[in-house]
Amino acid sequence: MLLVASEDGATTIWNVPSDIARPFTPHVSLEGHEGAVYGGAFLGDDAHVITGSVDRSLRVWRTSDGVQTANYDCGGKVCHAFSIIVAHSF
């Protein structure tokens, strides 16, 4: 899967085939940000992604269906640069 964000607020998760000769197909659109989306990342289990926007929010989405599962206010600051720290148990 590939996460694509844009300045028009559109964010899409695409299926990327292992056989690159086939075309990419959109898997799901993530709708809810009210401004440009400048950052995003898959979370540790790939079942969720997080996006950051100039609308001053971080949002978490399920990759299976695009449902928003969390919305965090960035306290009046633009949320477009962030790091994801993932912990794994071995």
Side-chain angles (χ1 to χ4, degrees):
M1 290 187 287
L2 174 68
L3 178 63
V4 178
S6 70
E7 289 188 3
D8 67 2
T11 309
T12 308
I13 298 173
W14 290 75
N15 289 324
V16 180
S18 58
D19 174 9
I20 204 70
R22 295 185 300 164
F24 293 3
T25 57
H27 172 65
V28 68
S29 293
L30 310 177
E31 298 179 13
H33 280 296
E34 297 174 8
V37 178
Y38 286 135
F42 285 88
L43 298 180
D45 60 0
D46 290 340
H48 292 85
V49 295
I50 187 168
T51 56
S53 173
V54 298
D55 69 5
R56 298 180 172 91
S57 70
L58 291 173
R59 297 175 190 235
V60 179
W61 316 82
R62 276 196 313 248
T63 57
S64 62
D65 58 10
V67 169
Q68 181 181 303
T69 60
N71 182 356
Y72 301 99
D73 180 6
C74 293
K77 302 201 188 281
V78 174
C79 304
H80 61 79
F82 54 92
S83 297
I84 303 297
I85 299 173
V86 179
H88 291 281
S89 298
F90 295 101

